[in-house]
Amino acid sequence: MTRTPTARPPAARRRMTLKEVERFITLLADAHPNAESELDFVDDYTLLVAVALSAQATDISVNRVTKGLFRDAPNPAAMVALGEEAVGDHIRTIGLWRTKARNVVALSQALLDQHGGQVPHDRAALEALPGVGRKTANVVMNVAFGDSTMAVDTHIFRIGNRTGLAPGKTPRAVEDQLVARIPAPMLRPAHHWLILHGRYVCKARRPECWRCPAIEPCQYTGKVLAPP
């Protein structure tokens, strides 16, 4: 994952129509037919930990540290036994590592105490875990359990506003619009299509519109039609 958005990107010319929304998502789907999370994980638990670590960090940097972490602590009991200091030694190259080390051990203990060591398939239970907010819960519900959730990170927040797909002043506002406006059968994989599009094409500083597969329905007023 990526950073939680803190500022609203420039507004689009107008909000896309529902027909344009479906066209936009279809074009992204055609461009990324096998899109999936770029975080490395082996089960629901390691997915939860990886997503929790990805706040204020890139997926690449998280994958670099979880390789050793998951080798030493592949389950909640092993993570608790490893302890906060040793977890911190594994993840100190990523942002907010001290807080994340504390949260990873605490959420692992909570899983043991409250859920039999299993990741709960319940939003409220997930969000009650230390270091787990709505975005992390949405990712786990989408990837681990196949739910049609939409985790709004900085990329999806930017795309929602820039393109007119789902304008909103807050991540929750963008999330609610995306859930309401994207056709239901497309909603679950749309999470991945949008993240990859924002990460590699519709970039923050300079969108690479000249290679965007969905440029036609996009309502961005500052389209960059040729590379610099």
Side-chain angles (χ1 to χ4, degrees), residues 12 14-17 20-22 24-25 28 156 159-167 177-178 181-182 194 219:
R14 60 172 173 79
R15 191 169 74 154
M16 288 187 198
T17 65
E20 288 169 335
V21 168
E22 182 172 4
F24 186 87
I25 298 298
L28 294 188
I156 294 181
I159 289 174
N161 282 283
R162 175 185 279 167
T163 68
L165 179 67
Q177 283 213 56
L178 289 170
R181 308 190 81 219
I182 295 175
L194 288 168
Q219 297 301 310

Side-chain angles (χ1 to χ4, degrees), residues 184-206:
M186 308 175 80
L187 184 57
R188 179 181 179 246
H191 163 75
H192 301 293
W193 297 328
L194 288 168
I195 286 177
L196 292 180
H197 188 59
R199 186 172 290 165
Y200 298 114
V201 179
C202 197
K203 300 177 182 179
R205 292 187 178 182
R206 186 181 179 89

Side-chain angles (χ1 to χ4, degrees), residues 6-220:
T6 57
R8 187 178 180 184
R13 178 184 297 106
R14 60 172 173 79
R15 191 169 74 154
M16 288 187 198
T17 65
L18 293 181
K19 184 176 181 180
E20 288 169 335
V21 168
E22 182 172 4
R23 176 66 174 158
F24 186 87
I25 298 298
T26 298
L27 290 169
L28 294 188
D30 291 343
H32 304 286
N34 301 311
E36 58 185 16
S37 175
E38 294 188 317
L39 288 170
D40 292 338
F41 63 95
V42 295
D43 55 19
D44 298 350
Y45 172 69
T46 53
L47 170 67
L48 172 62
V49 172
V51 178
L53 293 177
S54 71
Q56 306 295 326
T58 65
D59 287 1
I60 291 174
S61 68
V62 171
N63 290 340
R64 192 176 297 124
V65 302
T66 54
K67 183 177 181 180
L69 177 63
F70 293 156
R71 180 193 61 230
D72 291 351
N75 55 61
M79 193 70 75
V80 171
L82 190 61
E84 184 179 327
E85 183 176 351
V87 171
D89 288 341
H90 276 288
I91 68 171
R92 65 175 59 245
T93 58
I94 64 174
L96 305 176
W97 65 271
R98 289 184 178 86
T99 298
K100 290 176 181 178
R102 182 168 60 251
N103 285 337
V104 164
V105 173
L107 75 82
S108 299
Q109 186 66 64
L111 291 177
L112 293 170
D113 293 343
Q114 302 167 23
H115 304 288
Q118 302 299 308
V119 177
H121 184 183
D122 178 84
R123 178 186 296 283
L126 284 168
E127 291 187 28
L129 296 171
V132 177
R134 185 176 182 86
K135 183 179 69 173
T136 296
N138 275 335
V139 175
V140 173
M141 292 171 69
N142 182 294
V143 176
F145 301 120
D147 293 347
S148 294
T149 56
M150 180 60 66
V152 177
D153 69 349
T154 186
H155 297 303
I156 294 181
F157 185 72
R158 179 173 67 252
I159 289 174
N161 282 283
R162 175 185 279 167
T163 68
L165 179 67
K169 294 182 179 180
T170 65
R172 182 60 189 270
V174 171
E175 176 189 336
D176 289 345
Q177 283 213 56
L178 289 170
V179 170
R181 308 190 81 219
I182 295 175
M186 308 175 80
L187 184 57
R188 179 181 179 246
H191 163 75
H192 301 293
W193 297 328
L194 288 168
I195 286 177
L196 292 180
H197 188 59
R199 186 172 290 165
Y200 298 114
V201 179
C202 197
K203 300 177 182 179
R205 292 187 178 182
R206 186 181 179 89
E208 298 180 1
C209 306
W210 64 88
R211 62 187 191 91
C212 173
I215 191 171
E216 180 265 322
C218 174
Q219 297 301 310
Y220 179 47

